[in-house]
Protein backbone atom coordinates (compact mmCIF):
# COMPACT_ATOMS: atom_id res chain seq x y z
CA UNK A 1 0.00 0.00 0.00
CA UNK A 2 1.12 3.56 -0.78
CA UNK A 3 -0.14 6.54 1.22
CA UNK A 4 0.08 9.67 -0.90
CA UNK A 5 -1.08 10.00 -4.51
CA UNK A 6 1.37 12.68 -5.56
CA UNK A 7 4.48 12.47 -7.72
CA UNK A 8 6.54 10.23 -5.42
CA UNK A 9 3.67 7.89 -4.57
CA UNK A 10 2.70 7.50 -8.20
CA UNK A 11 6.27 6.80 -9.28
CA UNK A 12 6.68 4.13 -6.60
CA UNK A 13 3.58 2.35 -7.92
CA UNK A 14 4.70 2.59 -11.53
CA UNK A 15 8.25 1.41 -10.80
CA UNK A 16 7.01 -1.51 -8.71
CA UNK A 17 5.25 -2.83 -11.79
CA UNK A 18 8.25 -2.16 -14.02
CA UNK A 19 10.42 -3.99 -11.48
CA UNK A 20 8.29 -7.13 -11.65
CA UNK A 21 6.08 -6.74 -8.57
CA UNK A 22 2.90 -8.72 -9.27
CA UNK A 23 0.92 -8.27 -6.06
CA UNK A 24 -1.92 -5.81 -5.52
CA UNK A 25 -1.00 -2.11 -5.23
CA UNK A 26 -3.35 0.31 -3.49
CA UNK A 27 -2.66 4.06 -3.48
CA UNK A 28 -4.65 6.26 -1.08
CA UNK A 29 -4.27 10.00 -0.84
CA UNK A 30 -5.95 13.30 -0.04
CA UNK A 31 -5.23 14.29 -3.65
CA UNK A 32 -8.32 14.37 -5.86
CA UNK A 33 -6.49 13.72 -9.14
CA UNK A 34 -4.19 11.00 -10.40
CA UNK A 35 -0.46 11.63 -9.82
CA UNK A 36 1.10 14.45 -11.82
CA UNK A 37 4.29 16.52 -11.99
CA UNK A 38 4.27 19.91 -10.28
CA UNK A 39 7.03 21.97 -11.98
CA UNK A 40 4.66 23.36 -14.68
CA UNK A 41 2.30 24.85 -12.07
CA UNK A 42 4.28 28.05 -11.53
CA UNK A 43 5.26 28.42 -15.17
CA UNK A 44 3.36 27.00 -18.16
CA UNK A 45 0.03 26.58 -16.38
CA UNK A 46 0.03 30.28 -15.44
CA UNK A 47 1.17 31.63 -18.79
CA UNK A 48 -0.16 29.31 -21.51
CA UNK A 49 -2.50 31.00 -23.96
CA UNK A 50 -4.80 28.01 -24.27
CA UNK A 51 -6.36 25.69 -21.72
CA UNK A 52 -3.42 24.20 -19.76
CA UNK A 53 -3.11 20.44 -19.51
CA UNK A 54 -2.21 18.56 -16.38
CA UNK A 55 1.17 16.80 -16.50
CA UNK A 56 -0.08 13.37 -15.45
CA UNK A 57 2.53 10.67 -14.84
CA UNK A 58 0.34 8.11 -16.62
CA UNK A 59 -3.09 8.14 -18.20
CA UNK A 60 -6.07 6.57 -16.37
CA UNK A 61 -6.11 3.78 -18.94
CA UNK A 62 -2.45 2.98 -18.31
CA UNK A 63 -2.94 2.85 -14.54
CA UNK A 64 -5.75 0.36 -15.14
CA UNK A 65 -3.54 -1.68 -17.45
CA UNK A 66 -0.82 -2.08 -14.85
CA UNK A 67 -3.31 -2.81 -12.09
CA UNK A 68 -2.89 0.06 -9.63
CA UNK A 69 -5.97 0.88 -7.57
CA UNK A 70 -6.43 4.49 -6.45
CA UNK A 71 -8.45 5.70 -3.46
CA UNK A 72 -8.49 9.45 -4.03
CA UNK A 73 -9.80 12.21 -1.81
CA UNK A 74 -9.23 10.23 1.40
CA UNK A 75 -6.54 10.79 3.99
CA UNK A 76 -4.73 8.20 6.04
CA UNK A 77 -5.59 8.95 9.66
CA UNK A 78 -3.74 6.17 11.46
CA UNK A 79 -1.41 3.22 11.07
CA UNK A 80 -1.69 0.00 13.08
CA UNK A 81 1.77 -1.49 12.53
CA UNK A 82 1.05 -4.66 14.49
CA UNK A 83 -2.03 -5.54 12.45
CA UNK A 84 -0.63 -3.85 9.31
CA UNK A 85 -3.71 -1.77 8.67
CA UNK A 86 -4.08 1.85 7.57
CA UNK A 87 -7.24 3.65 8.70
CA UNK A 88 -8.70 6.15 6.22
CA UNK A 89 -10.74 9.30 6.71
CA UNK A 90 -13.81 7.73 5.07
CA UNK A 91 -13.99 5.12 7.88
CA UNK A 92 -12.57 2.45 5.60
CA UNK A 93 -9.24 0.72 6.10
CA UNK A 94 -6.67 -1.04 3.94
CA UNK A 95 -4.25 -3.77 4.92
CA UNK A 96 -0.68 -4.05 3.72
CA UNK A 97 2.37 -6.29 3.66
CA UNK A 98 4.65 -3.39 2.82
CA UNK A 99 3.70 0.25 3.31
CA UNK A 100 5.15 3.31 1.55
CA UNK A 101 4.51 6.78 2.97
CA UNK A 102 4.70 9.53 0.34
CA UNK A 103 2.63 12.11 2.17
CA UNK A 104 4.53 15.20 1.01
CA UNK A 105 4.30 18.63 2.59
CA UNK A 106 1.81 21.16 3.86
CA UNK A 107 2.55 24.81 2.98
CA UNK A 108 3.81 27.03 5.76
CA UNK A 109 1.32 29.73 6.67
CA UNK A 110 1.78 33.23 8.06
CA UNK A 111 -0.40 34.22 10.99
CA UNK A 112 -0.16 37.95 10.26
CA UNK A 113 -1.93 37.35 6.92
CA UNK A 114 -5.02 35.71 8.41
CA UNK A 115 -7.16 38.90 8.15
CA UNK A 116 -6.75 38.84 4.36
CA UNK A 117 -7.18 35.06 4.00
CA UNK A 118 -9.67 35.52 1.13
CA UNK A 119 -6.84 36.91 -1.01
CA UNK A 120 -4.20 34.32 -0.08
CA UNK A 121 -3.05 31.56 -2.45
CA UNK A 122 -0.70 28.62 -1.93
CA UNK A 123 0.58 26.97 -5.08
CA UNK A 124 0.61 23.24 -4.28
CA UNK A 125 -1.80 21.71 -6.78
CA UNK A 126 -3.07 21.95 -10.34
CA UNK A 127 -6.36 23.37 -9.06
CA UNK A 128 -4.40 26.01 -7.12
CA UNK A 129 -2.62 27.00 -10.33
CA UNK A 130 -5.87 27.20 -12.32
CA UNK A 131 -7.48 29.39 -9.66
CA UNK A 132 -4.45 31.69 -9.58
CA UNK A 133 -4.26 31.81 -13.38
CA UNK A 134 -7.82 33.11 -13.52
CA UNK A 135 -7.01 35.94 -11.10
CA UNK A 136 -3.69 37.19 -12.50
CA UNK A 137 -4.44 39.67 -15.27
CA UNK A 138 -2.97 42.95 -16.48
CA UNK A 139 -2.97 45.44 -13.63
CA UNK A 140 -3.41 42.89 -10.83
CA UNK A 141 -1.44 43.95 -7.76
CA UNK A 142 0.29 40.74 -6.77
CA UNK A 143 2.46 40.33 -3.69
CA UNK A 144 4.60 37.21 -3.38
CA UNK A 145 5.86 36.32 0.08
CA UNK A 146 9.10 34.39 -0.31
CA UNK A 147 11.83 34.82 -2.92
CA UNK A 148 12.48 31.11 -3.33
CA UNK A 149 11.95 29.06 -6.47
CA UNK A 150 8.14 29.21 -6.36
CA UNK A 151 7.98 32.91 -5.58
CA UNK A 152 10.40 33.95 -8.31
CA UNK A 153 8.87 31.65 -10.92
CA UNK A 154 5.38 33.00 -10.22
CA UNK A 155 6.79 36.54 -10.32
CA UNK A 156 8.32 35.93 -13.76
CA UNK A 157 5.06 34.40 -15.02
CA UNK A 158 2.82 37.14 -13.57
CA UNK A 159 4.82 40.09 -14.86
CA UNK A 160 4.58 38.60 -18.37
CA UNK A 161 0.81 39.07 -18.33
CA UNK A 162 1.07 42.62 -17.04
CA UNK A 163 0.57 42.20 -13.31
CA UNK A 164 2.21 44.65 -10.90
CA UNK A 165 4.46 42.29 -8.92
CA UNK A 166 6.19 42.80 -5.57
CA UNK A 167 8.25 40.07 -3.89
CA UNK A 168 8.85 40.15 -0.13
CA UNK A 169 11.76 38.15 1.28
CA UNK A 170 12.71 37.91 4.95
CA UNK A 171 16.34 37.08 4.12
CA UNK A 172 18.78 39.63 2.77
CA UNK A 173 18.70 38.29 -0.80
CA UNK A 174 16.68 36.01 -3.13
CA UNK A 175 17.35 32.27 -3.25
CA UNK A 176 19.85 32.60 -0.43
CA UNK A 177 19.85 28.86 0.28
CA UNK A 178 20.77 27.92 -3.30
CA UNK A 179 22.79 30.79 -4.76
CA UNK A 180 25.88 32.67 -3.59
CA UNK A 181 25.50 36.45 -3.10
CA UNK A 182 26.80 37.50 -6.52
CA UNK A 183 24.30 35.27 -8.35
CA UNK A 184 21.45 36.31 -6.04
CA UNK A 185 22.18 39.90 -7.03
CA UNK A 186 22.32 39.03 -10.72
CA UNK A 187 18.94 37.29 -10.46
CA UNK A 188 17.40 40.17 -8.51
CA UNK A 189 18.61 42.60 -11.17
CA UNK A 190 17.10 40.39 -13.88
CA UNK A 191 13.69 40.52 -12.19
CA UNK A 192 13.83 44.22 -11.53
CA UNK A 193 14.64 44.93 -15.19
CA UNK A 194 11.51 42.96 -16.08
CA UNK A 195 9.42 45.15 -13.77
CA UNK A 196 9.34 43.06 -10.58
CA UNK A 197 9.96 44.89 -7.31
CA UNK A 198 11.96 42.82 -4.79
CA UNK A 199 12.05 43.90 -1.14
CA UNK A 200 14.51 41.89 0.96
CA UNK A 201 14.77 41.88 4.72
CA UNK A 202 11.03 42.58 5.00
CA UNK A 203 8.19 40.72 6.69
CA UNK A 204 4.45 41.24 7.04
CA UNK A 205 3.60 42.08 10.65
CA UNK A 206 -0.06 43.03 10.21
CA UNK A 207 -2.71 42.88 7.49
CA UNK A 208 -6.14 44.41 7.05
CA UNK A 209 -8.98 43.56 4.69
CA UNK A 210 -10.17 46.55 2.69
CA UNK A 211 -13.24 46.60 0.47
CA UNK A 212 -11.27 46.15 -2.76
CA UNK A 213 -7.84 44.99 -1.60
CA UNK A 214 -5.72 43.79 1.27
CA UNK A 215 -3.35 46.11 3.08
CA UNK A 216 -0.07 44.65 4.29
CA UNK A 217 1.95 46.40 7.00
CA UNK A 218 5.66 45.56 6.88
CA UNK A 219 8.17 45.53 9.70
CA UNK A 220 9.93 48.65 8.41
CA UNK A 221 6.72 50.70 8.79
CA UNK A 222 5.82 50.70 5.08
CA UNK A 223 2.55 49.41 3.60
CA UNK A 224 1.49 47.58 0.45
CA UNK A 225 -1.95 47.06 -1.06
CA UNK A 226 -2.53 43.77 -2.82
CA UNK A 227 -5.29 42.22 -4.87
CA UNK A 228 -3.65 38.80 -4.46
CA UNK A 229 -1.00 37.38 -2.14
CA UNK A 230 0.87 34.18 -2.96
CA UNK A 231 2.75 32.63 -0.05
CA UNK A 232 5.73 30.51 -1.00
CA UNK A 233 7.90 30.02 2.08
CA UNK A 234 8.32 26.25 1.91
CA UNK A 235 6.41 23.53 3.65
CA UNK A 236 6.37 21.28 6.69
CA UNK A 237 6.56 17.50 6.22
CA UNK A 238 3.32 15.58 6.67
CA UNK A 239 4.85 13.14 9.15
CA UNK A 240 2.21 13.21 11.90
CA UNK A 241 0.71 9.77 11.29
CA UNK A 242 4.21 8.30 11.08
CA UNK A 243 5.14 9.80 14.44
CA UNK A 244 1.87 8.67 16.02
CA UNK A 245 2.59 5.14 14.75
CA UNK A 246 5.92 5.17 16.58
CA UNK A 247 8.19 5.60 13.57
CA UNK A 248 11.36 7.67 13.90
CA UNK A 249 10.51 11.24 12.86
CA UNK A 250 12.89 14.20 12.79
CA UNK A 251 11.88 16.99 10.36
CA UNK A 252 10.36 14.29 8.20
CA UNK A 253 10.20 10.51 8.31
CA UNK A 254 13.71 9.21 8.89
CA UNK A 255 14.77 6.54 6.39
CA UNK A 256 17.99 4.72 5.53
CA UNK A 257 19.69 4.60 2.13
CA UNK A 258 16.98 2.23 0.86
CA UNK A 259 14.06 4.40 1.97
CA UNK A 260 13.31 2.09 4.89
CA UNK A 261 11.98 3.56 8.13
CA UNK A 262 12.57 2.31 11.68
CA UNK A 263 9.97 -0.36 10.84
CA UNK A 264 11.42 -2.73 8.21
CA UNK A 265 8.01 -3.07 6.54
CA UNK A 266 7.40 0.67 6.21
CA UNK A 267 9.14 2.97 3.73
CA UNK A 268 8.98 6.66 2.88
CA UNK A 269 9.79 8.63 -0.28
CA UNK A 270 9.67 12.16 -1.62
CA UNK A 271 9.41 15.48 0.21
CA UNK A 272 8.49 13.83 3.51
CA UNK A 273 11.53 11.53 3.73
CA UNK A 274 14.63 12.54 5.70
CA UNK A 275 17.15 10.30 3.99
CA UNK A 276 20.81 9.41 4.15
CA UNK A 277 22.86 10.75 1.24
CA UNK A 278 25.91 8.58 0.62
CA UNK A 279 27.61 11.16 -1.63
CA UNK A 280 27.73 13.86 1.04
CA UNK A 281 27.50 11.72 4.17
CA UNK A 282 24.56 13.69 5.55
CA UNK A 283 20.93 13.15 6.35
CA UNK A 284 18.58 15.69 4.85
CA UNK A 285 15.17 16.19 3.31
CA UNK A 286 14.97 17.44 -0.27
CA UNK A 287 11.94 19.09 -1.86
CA UNK A 288 12.47 18.59 -5.57
CA UNK A 289 11.22 16.82 -8.67
CA UNK A 290 14.41 14.78 -8.95
CA UNK A 291 14.29 13.61 -5.36
CA UNK A 292 10.75 12.29 -5.86
CA UNK A 293 11.94 10.38 -8.92
CA UNK A 294 15.11 9.03 -7.30
CA UNK A 295 13.61 7.93 -4.01
CA UNK A 296 10.67 6.27 -5.74
CA UNK A 297 13.14 4.23 -7.77
CA UNK A 298 15.18 3.26 -4.69
CA UNK A 299 12.14 2.13 -2.69
CA UNK A 300 10.60 0.20 -5.60
CA UNK A 301 13.89 -1.54 -6.38
CA UNK A 302 14.26 -2.65 -2.77
CA UNK A 303 10.71 -3.99 -2.63
CA UNK A 304 11.30 -5.87 -5.87
CA UNK A 305 14.35 -7.60 -4.42
CA UNK A 306 16.97 -5.50 -6.19
CA UNK A 307 18.34 -3.19 -3.48
CA UNK A 308 20.17 -0.16 -4.81
CA UNK A 309 21.12 2.47 -2.20
CA UNK A 310 20.29 6.11 -2.70
CA UNK A 311 23.47 7.76 -3.98
CA UNK A 312 22.22 10.68 -6.03
CA UNK A 313 23.47 14.24 -6.25
CA UNK A 314 20.87 16.92 -5.42
CA UNK A 315 19.67 18.76 -8.50
CA UNK A 316 17.34 21.72 -8.79
CA UNK A 317 16.32 23.78 -11.78
CA UNK A 318 14.19 26.83 -12.44
CA UNK A 319 12.92 28.48 -15.61
CA UNK A 320 12.53 32.24 -15.27
CA UNK A 321 11.84 34.42 -18.30
CA UNK A 322 13.82 32.79 -21.11
CA UNK A 323 16.56 31.45 -18.85
CA UNK A 324 17.12 27.98 -17.43
CA UNK A 325 19.09 27.96 -14.18
CA UNK A 326 20.34 24.68 -12.71
CA UNK A 327 22.01 23.86 -9.41
CA UNK A 328 23.84 20.56 -8.84
CA UNK A 329 25.23 19.31 -5.56
CA UNK A 330 25.46 21.69 -2.62
CA UNK A 331 27.28 24.86 -3.75
CA UNK A 332 26.30 26.63 -0.53
CA UNK A 333 28.76 24.59 1.54
CA UNK A 334 31.70 25.33 -0.76
CA UNK A 335 33.59 28.22 -2.24
CA UNK A 336 33.37 29.41 -5.86
CA UNK A 337 36.53 28.12 -7.55
CA UNK A 338 36.15 28.19 -11.34
CA UNK A 339 33.82 29.85 -13.80
CA UNK A 340 33.17 29.90 -17.52
CA UNK A 341 31.74 33.18 -18.71
CA UNK A 342 30.20 35.84 -16.50
CA UNK A 343 26.74 36.17 -14.90
CA UNK A 344 24.45 37.59 -17.55
CA UNK A 345 26.02 35.59 -20.37
CA UNK A 346 23.68 33.26 -22.23
CA UNK A 347 25.77 30.34 -20.95
CA UNK A 348 27.44 30.61 -17.55
CA UNK A 349 28.89 27.83 -15.41
CA UNK A 350 30.54 28.01 -11.98
CA UNK A 351 32.21 25.19 -10.01
CA UNK A 352 32.28 25.19 -6.20
CA UNK A 353 34.82 23.20 -4.21
CA UNK A 354 35.75 22.28 -0.66
CA UNK A 355 39.31 21.19 -0.01
CA UNK A 356 39.81 20.77 -3.73
CA UNK A 357 36.81 18.44 -4.12
CA UNK A 358 33.98 19.45 -6.46
CA UNK A 359 30.82 19.67 -4.36
CA UNK A 360 28.52 21.87 -6.42
CA UNK A 361 27.89 23.75 -9.64
CA UNK A 362 25.51 26.42 -10.90
CA UNK A 363 24.76 26.81 -14.58
CA UNK A 364 22.68 29.19 -16.67
CA UNK A 365 21.74 27.88 -20.10
CA UNK A 366 24.06 24.86 -19.96
CA UNK A 367 22.00 21.81 -19.05
CA UNK A 368 24.36 19.34 -20.71
CA UNK A 369 27.27 20.61 -18.62
CA UNK A 370 25.27 20.22 -15.42
CA UNK A 371 24.47 16.60 -16.30
CA UNK A 372 28.20 15.94 -16.59
CA UNK A 373 28.97 17.84 -13.38
CA UNK A 374 26.49 15.72 -11.43
CA UNK A 375 28.45 12.61 -12.36
CA UNK A 376 31.71 14.34 -11.47
CA UNK A 377 30.39 15.27 -8.02
CA UNK A 378 29.13 11.73 -7.49
CA UNK A 379 32.57 10.36 -8.37
CA UNK A 380 34.31 12.71 -5.91
CA UNK A 381 36.15 14.58 -8.67
CA UNK A 382 38.93 17.05 -7.92
CA UNK A 383 39.08 19.53 -10.80
CA UNK A 384 42.42 19.85 -12.56
CA UNK A 385 43.38 23.47 -12.99
CA UNK A 386 45.17 23.04 -16.34
CA UNK A 387 42.39 20.91 -17.81
CA UNK A 388 39.66 23.39 -16.85
CA UNK A 389 41.62 26.33 -18.24
CA UNK A 390 41.99 24.40 -21.49
CA UNK A 391 38.19 24.06 -21.54
CA UNK A 392 37.64 27.78 -21.17
CA UNK A 393 37.35 28.12 -17.40
CA UNK A 394 39.11 30.70 -15.29
CA UNK A 395 39.77 30.74 -11.59
CA UNK A 396 37.12 32.66 -9.71
CA UNK A 397 38.53 36.15 -10.03
CA UNK A 398 39.02 39.07 -7.74
CA UNK A 399 36.21 41.05 -9.42
CA UNK A 400 33.50 38.49 -8.61
CA UNK A 401 35.14 37.77 -5.28
CA UNK A 402 34.59 41.39 -4.31
CA UNK A 403 30.95 41.15 -5.40
CA UNK A 404 30.48 37.98 -3.33
CA UNK A 405 31.85 39.68 -0.23
Amino acid sequence: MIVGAGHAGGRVAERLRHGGFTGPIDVAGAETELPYERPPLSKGVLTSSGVPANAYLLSPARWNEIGVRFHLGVEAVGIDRREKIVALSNDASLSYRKLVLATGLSPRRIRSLEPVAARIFYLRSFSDALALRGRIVAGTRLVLVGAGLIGLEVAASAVKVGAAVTVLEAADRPLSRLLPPYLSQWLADLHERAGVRILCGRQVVLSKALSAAGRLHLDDGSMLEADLVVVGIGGTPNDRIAGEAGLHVDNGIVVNEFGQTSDPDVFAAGDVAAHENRVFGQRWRLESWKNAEDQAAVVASYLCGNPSPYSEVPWFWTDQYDLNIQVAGVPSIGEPAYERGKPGDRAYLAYFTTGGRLIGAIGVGCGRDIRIVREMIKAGARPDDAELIRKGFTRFGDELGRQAS
Side-chain angles (χ1 to χ4, degrees):
M1 181 185 171
I2 300 166
V3 175
H7 185 167
R11 279 290 188 235
V12 171
E14 179 190 14
R15 288 184 177 275
L16 281 171
R17 287 294 187 238
H18 288 170
F21 182 81
T22 58
I25 300 175
D26 285 279
V27 181
E31 296 86 352
T32 57
E33 295 194 69
L34 292 169
Y36 56 88
E37 298 182 347
R38 285 183 165 83
L41 299 183
S42 56
K43 299 180 281 288
V45 175
L46 295 182
T47 59
S48 60
S49 56
V51 178
N54 208 334
Y56 290 112
L57 300 187
L58 297 177
S59 68
R62 182 57 182 157
W63 285 119
N64 287 333
E65 287 175 8
I66 64 175
V68 176
R69 297 179 296 197
F70 283 92
H71 309 262
L72 299 177
V74 292
E75 294 186 58
V77 295
I79 302 169
D80 184 333
R81 289 166 49 207
R82 186 175 65 179
E83 298 297 328
K84 294 192 172 182
I85 292 173
V86 176
L88 303 178
S89 57
N90 61 357
D91 295 329
S93 62
L94 291 170
S95 61
Y96 66 88
R97 285 192 298 127
K98 303 292 182 182
L99 174 64
V100 180
L101 301 175
T103 46
L105 306 173
S106 292
R108 290 192 179 95
R109 299 176 185 273
I110 300 174
R111 182 171 297 178
S112 60
L113 289 174
E114 289 178 359
V116 293
R119 299 182 183 276
I120 302 297
F121 284 81
Y122 299 89
L123 190 55
R124 293 293 301 168
S125 69
F126 186 68
S127 59
D128 290 340
L130 288 182
L132 190 58
R133 166 191 166 94
R135 300 282 295 276
I136 297 178
V137 297
T140 298
R141 294 171 296 178
L142 173 65
V143 172
L144 293 141
V145 182
L149 292 177
I150 294 296
L152 293 180
E153 287 175 357
V154 173
S157 298
V159 79
K160 282 183 181 179
V161 301
V165 181
T166 300
V167 179
L168 301 178
E169 170 56 50
D172 61 354
R173 55 190 175 87
L175 279 182
S176 58
R177 290 190 294 176
L178 281 180
L179 301 183
Y182 77 95
L183 283 176
S184 286
Q185 186 60 56
W186 162 77
L187 188 58
D189 291 345
L190 178 72
H191 277 274
E192 288 173 356
R193 287 196 300 271
V196 175
R197 182 167 59 148
I198 298 179
L199 303 177
C200 291
R202 310 283 180 84
Q203 298 185 64
V204 179
V205 294
L206 178 69
S207 63
K208 295 180 180 179
L210 307 179
S211 59
R215 178 174 291 162
L216 312 182
H217 295 254
L218 308 186
D219 54 0
D220 65 348
S222 62
M223 291 184 297
L224 295 172
E225 289 194 0
D227 301 310
L228 301 175
V229 179
V230 175
V231 177
I233 56 172
T236 56
N238 293 324
D239 55 13
R240 180 187 57 80
I241 63 167
E244 290 175 350
L247 299 175
H248 185 192
V249 169
D250 183 8
N251 184 31
I253 304 170
V254 176
V255 299
N256 63 15
E257 67 269 31
F258 301 106
Q260 194 172 42
T261 71
S262 51
D263 182 329
D265 291 328
V266 182
F267 298 74
D271 293 349
V272 75
H275 67 278
E276 296 178 13
N277 187 289
R278 292 162 63 96
V279 178
F280 290 91
Q282 298 181 29
R283 187 178 75 200
W284 52 34
R285 193 173 53 78
L286 295 177
E287 303 171 15
S288 72
W289 176 92
K290 185 177 189 298
N291 183 59
E293 292 277 320
D294 291 339
Q295 287 194 327
V298 166
V299 169
S301 292
Y302 188 90
L303 291 173
C304 289
N306 300 301
S308 176
Y310 187 101
S311 58
E312 298 300 322
V313 172
W315 173 52
F316 301 88
W317 88 88
T318 178
D319 293 320
Q320 298 178 35
Y321 306 108
D322 59 346
L323 295 178
N324 173 257
I325 305 166
Q326 299 192 24
V327 179
V330 192
S332 60
I333 65 175
E335 295 293 333
Y338 301 91
E339 62 179 344
R340 191 184 65 203
K342 300 291 182 184
D345 291 351
R346 298 304 300 177
Y348 172 77
L349 182 62
Y351 284 0
F352 295 75
T353 62
T354 295
R357 178 190 169 195
L358 182 65
I359 50 85
I362 299 174
V364 180
C366 51
R368 179 178 178 276
D369 294 289
I370 291 293
R371 286 194 295 272
I372 295 170
V373 171
R374 282 159 51 191
E375 294 304 316
M376 292 170 62
I377 296 171
K378 191 173 181 178
R382 292 179 173 272
D384 178 77
D385 191 76
E387 177 67 13
L388 288 176
I389 290 173
R390 187 182 67 81
K391 292 181 177 179
F393 285 82
T394 58
R395 280 195 170 276
F396 196 81
D398 290 339
E399 180 184 353
L400 286 184
R402 285 193 297 271
Q403 294 178 21
S405 63

